[in-house]
Amino acid sequence: MADAAEHGGADGHAGVIGGSGADSGRLGAARLLLWALAAVLGVRQAAAVLSVPPGEWLSGLHLPGAPGGLPGTLYDAGRFSGTPFAGLVLKPLVGLATPSLEVAWTCVTLLSVAAIGLVAARGLPDPVPRRTALLAAPVLVALMMVSLPVREAASPGQVAVLPVLLVLLAFFRVPGERPAGFLVGLAAALQPALLLFAPLLWLTGRRPTAQAAALTFAGATALSWASLPRDSWTYWVEHLAGSGLGGAPDAAANQSLHGALLRLGLSGPTEIVLYAALAAAVACVGLRRAARYARDGQLLLAVAVTGCVAVAVSPDGWRHQMLWVLLTVAGRVGGRAADRRVWPVAVVLAMTLPSAVLLPNMAALAPVRDNVPLLTALAAACAVPFLRRSSPYWREPVPTLYGRPAATRVPRVPLLPFWRKALSRPNLLLELLLIRVGYSLYSHIRAAAPASRSVAEANGGRIHAIEQALGIDIERAVNRAVVDTPWLEAFFNFYYTSFHFVVPLAVLAVLYRRSPGDYRWARASLGLATVIALAGFWLYPLAPPRLMPDLGFVDTVHGVQDLANPSYGAMTAISNQYAAMPSLHFGWSLWCGTVIVVLAPRGWQKLLGALHPLITVCAIVATANHWVLDAVGGALVVGAGFGLVHVLSGPRGVRASLPGQRTPAETETETEAEAGRPLRTPARSGRG
């Protein structure tokens, strides 16, 4: 088993590969910038914690005798979630309960996070590319600083970061067997599920360390029984290793199998039996995988997988104990270079963003949305096919085929050096994740845009006046004509509410399947147009015709609005009703029409594509949801999106570059990699 504690060198790795003098200078500058970013994020996290009033913060310790705490034992109020041993360790802090304790606690927590990043980065399996060796630690620390586990672990009384650091030190930095076992046992005394590291040590041949860990845990637990017998009985017997302490066991914060089953509505003996069976299966599969990765020399991945198992099978696996999931980015997944980013991106999104951002607010998705961290941990522990170091794809994945570099379109605007035209199909899971997160962020930013009624109505009056001067103020006439024609009103209402998302997604799906290069071009142009539109929402809040009190429009889609009510009813609470300029209803439809007209092979398909934006502009005007000039704004942002892609990355049509020209052998190799079969053709083309 590769022991990272034996790694040498300035960066802690015996097998750092690659790197010239110029590259080292650039990497050094990038490393300093990343450490500066990590420091800024740490200061931001500290400021968020220290903004809590000292009295309120200290009462969060939930220890007897602390300010705001109840007298008596640890668990009288049912709010302390730690073990009796943790309570025994923390009790002396009650006598130091001053505002300075808040500062010290926060600093120690954040310094522990930095130490975890340093130790984990030096535990990567050899050989390590020089770029990875230099940048892994600051990148990991920065990610942890913005992650949900660290943001919650900075709360008073939470000791979730310390056990992670103790285990990593035991596996990677402490040379002796028994001292390492002592650290693992101490971590298990603070978080009992971490005793699963003892079987991992045993399975990988470190039996003295496993024995020392078990003895340390037993000694710490016995000490807490002797010192706090009533609390120990409450924790171990009445609450079965703390289940239900510190919060409701079915709360969303409890990201364990037990909590997930309770949220699904199971209870009583049925839930207990099912939980025990699932926990045993996860522990068995996860520990076997962890031992296999440890024997393969991927000790950091083995430790991370075991930590994921521990959180999942614990009766209470709180979100602040989920740092193990972030450490699984040490594993490599996929035979293609394009697939290597999927697992790290999925982990980072799951550990840093709220579940509501990742998944829509639909009842059918609630079991998944409420358990995203748990499902990610279970996937890492039992399902994700991390590569072995003996795999032919470990160091040399199938390269991505890139297009021939294009000449710059505008002499003074260089092409972006990192925006190379990949011709192969991108990973579907990664695309779906980014589309979902991108749209969710767009929705949140749009909802947060300024929504002053007076400003929006004043801007609406100006738009109406401009249209009158230009002779294009047709909205009211069209709206009245549609209202007087029921079948036409029903048609435009349906078109307005149904095709806005369906058609763009269908276009992207067809391009993804049939023309990956065009898919990337179309996706980038749509994304840039949407980002530009967000600037319009912020800079120019605009009341649509249906929300102009004195103009007599009829809202055919949402029904009659009480314009005397500042909130205009329920619709205003759902989204920003004044994010109307530019109209992305028309903008996205114009994007769809342009893509279809340019790429569709048949004339009737081009005709349908051209009709879509035409019908859409009629629908947004007929339903009184937009002014005609809103559609003009939508057309401008879409044109800007296509133009920026053309200027910054070159023309749409590209051919493979000569060094990376696809050959039949490479095509066969990439197909085998996607299917997960062993590589049969060792020769690969260049990287383009």
Side-chain angles (χ1 to χ4, degrees):
M1 180 176 63
D3 191 347
E6 298 175 0
H7 290 178
D11 297 301
H13 293 285
V16 175
I17 57 176
S20 63
D23 289 339
S24 297
R26 287 193 294 267
L27 288 175
R31 187 185 193 190
L32 288 176
L33 288 175
L34 287 170
W35 274 120
L37 174 62
V40 170
L41 294 173
V43 171
R44 175 179 173 272
Q45 177 63 33
V49 176
L50 297 178
S51 64
V52 178
E56 181 180 338
W57 190 93
L58 294 170
S59 66
L61 288 170
H62 303 311
L63 291 172
L70 296 176
T73 63
L74 290 173
Y75 307 109
D76 278 351
R79 299 174 65 187
F80 182 73
S81 61
T83 63
F85 180 75
L88 190 65
V89 173
L90 294 175
K91 260 192 171 183
L93 297 180
V94 175
L96 303 174
T98 63
S100 59
L101 177 61
E102 180 183 10
V103 177
W105 186 285
T106 303
C107 291
V108 169
T109 299
L110 297 181
L111 288 175
S112 298
V113 171
I116 289 173
L118 288 169
V119 176
R122 297 187 180 187
L124 293 171
D126 290 332
V128 180
R130 184 166 183 81
R131 182 177 65 177
T132 302
L134 288 174
L135 304 183
V139 168
L140 182 57
V141 172
L143 288 176
M144 287 192 293
M145 288 297 181
V146 298
S147 68
L148 296 173
V150 168
R151 293 202 300 248
E152 295 188 4
S155 302
Q158 304 297 350
V159 292
V161 174
L162 181 59
V164 177
L165 179 58
L166 291 175
V167 170
L168 290 178
L169 290 174
F171 274 88
F172 296 106
R173 307 311 300 171
V174 176
E177 294 288 340
R178 285 183 171 77
F182 171 77
L183 293 182
V184 173
L186 196 61
L190 297 172
Q191 188 179 332
L194 298 184
L195 194 60
L196 285 173
F197 280 101
L200 174 65
L201 291 166
W202 188 275
L203 291 172
T204 54
R206 299 180 63 178
R207 297 188 175 183
T209 309
Q211 293 171 349
L215 289 175
T216 301
F217 171 77
T221 304
L223 177 63
S224 62
W225 271 96
S227 304
L228 304 169
R230 181 180 170 186
D231 289 324
S232 297
W233 176 268
T234 301
Y235 182 88
W236 292 107
V237 180
E238 294 181 359
H239 285 270
L240 189 62
S243 178
L245 294 174
D250 61 346
N254 181 13
Q255 289 293 311
S256 68
L257 287 168
H258 179 49
L261 293 175
L262 292 176
R263 285 190 291 275
L264 290 174
L266 299 176
S267 61
T270 302
E271 188 273 332
I272 294 175
V273 171
L274 184 58
Y275 161 61
L278 290 175
V282 170
C284 180
V285 174
L287 286 175
R288 290 183 61 182
R289 280 163 51 92
R292 185 165 64 246
Y293 294 132
R295 287 191 290 267
D296 187 53
Q298 301 185 65
L299 187 55
L300 178 59
L301 178 59
V303 170
V305 167
T306 306
C308 291
V309 172
V311 176
V313 304
S314 174
D316 285 326
W318 304 108
R319 273 196 301 256
H320 58 264
Q321 299 171 346
M322 286 283 184
L323 269 181
W324 304 106
V325 181
L326 271 175
L327 298 181
T328 62
V329 298
R332 301 182 185 181
V333 184
R336 297 190 310 163
D339 297 333
R340 288 292 170 87
R341 297 185 294 270
V342 178
W343 176 246
V345 169
V347 168
V348 170
L349 294 179
M351 291 294 104
T352 58
L353 296 179
S355 299
V357 174
L358 299 174
L359 292 170
N361 188 19
M362 300 170 56
L365 296 177
V368 178
R369 188 179 62 251
D370 294 343
N371 300 293
V372 167
L374 169 64
L375 294 175
T376 309
L378 289 175
C382 304
V384 176
F386 297 108
L387 292 177
R388 305 284 291 273
R389 293 209 299 171
S390 58
S391 168
Y393 304 117
W394 170 261
R395 291 183 58 181
E396 291 293 332
V398 176
T400 300
L401 184 66
Y402 291 100
R404 180 177 299 165
T408 180
R409 312 302 298 175
V410 179
R412 296 185 180 181
V413 181
L415 299 179
L416 296 181
F418 58 83
W419 196 337
R420 294 189 294 171
K421 287 184 174 294
L423 303 182
S424 59
R425 183 175 292 110
N427 185 279
L428 179 59
L429 178 58
L430 182 60
E431 291 297 302
L432 293 176
L433 281 172
L434 294 180
I435 288 174
R436 169 56 199 168
V437 172
Y439 178 74
S440 183
L441 293 176
Y442 155 76
S443 300
H444 282 76
I445 294 172
R446 170 182 166 143
S452 169
R453 176 178 178 177
S454 59
V455 174
E457 289 181 356
N459 288 336
R462 294 187 186 97
I463 291 292
H464 188 227
I466 293 173
E467 290 189 351
Q468 286 178 322
L470 296 174
I472 58 173
D473 56 325
I474 62 173
E475 293 88 357
R476 191 173 186 280
V478 173
N479 179 242
R480 285 298 179 181
V482 169
V483 170
D484 293 336
T485 312
W487 69 267
L488 197 57
E489 178 184 352
F491 169 75
F492 281 129
N493 287 348
F494 174 77
Y495 206 94
Y496 179 86
T497 56
S498 302
F499 287 81
H500 181 44
F501 297 106
V502 172
V503 178
L505 290 176
V507 170
L508 288 174
V510 171
L511 291 179
Y512 179 88
R513 179 68 182 87
R514 297 188 176 181
S515 182
D518 290 326
Y519 166 82
R520 296 175 187 273
W521 163 75
R523 177 199 58 188
S525 60
L526 180 62
L528 286 174
T530 304
V531 171
I532 297 170
L534 286 175
F537 299 155
W538 275 85
L539 298 175
Y540 199 78
L542 175 66
R546 63 186 177 84
L547 295 184
M548 292 296 288
D550 302 323
L551 298 183
F553 287 94
V554 177
D555 188 346
T556 64
V557 175
H558 309 108
V560 178
Q561 299 292 309
D562 180 11
L563 299 183
N565 179 1
S567 68
Y568 291 152
M571 282 305 302
T572 310
I574 296 175
S575 63
N576 186 349
Q577 301 298 292
Y578 299 133
M581 171 62 84
S583 168
L584 282 186
H585 246 88
F586 177 72
W588 288 3
S589 69
L590 181 62
W591 172 87
C592 293
T594 303
V595 171
I596 294 173
V597 169
V598 170
L599 300 178
R602 295 178 175 85
W604 66 268
Q605 295 170 339
K606 296 178 183 290
L607 177 61
L608 287 179
L611 285 175
H612 177 53
L614 179 61
I615 299 175
T616 300
V617 74
C618 294
I620 64 175
V621 172
T623 59
N625 275 279
H626 284 284
W627 305 97
V628 171
L629 289 180
D630 294 350
V632 176
L636 290 176
V637 298
V638 169
F642 282 118
L644 282 174
V645 172
H646 185 73
V647 169
L648 299 177
S649 68
R652 177 184 61 84
V654 293
R655 294 190 305 167
S657 59
L658 293 178
Q661 186 70 45
R662 185 187 296 274
T663 64
E666 183 185 67
T667 303
E668 180 183 2
T669 299
E670 185 167 336
T671 303
E672 291 173 349
E674 292 178 346
R677 296 194 296 269
L679 180 65
R680 292 182 294 171
T681 307
R684 297 181 179 86
S685 62
R687 296 180 180 270

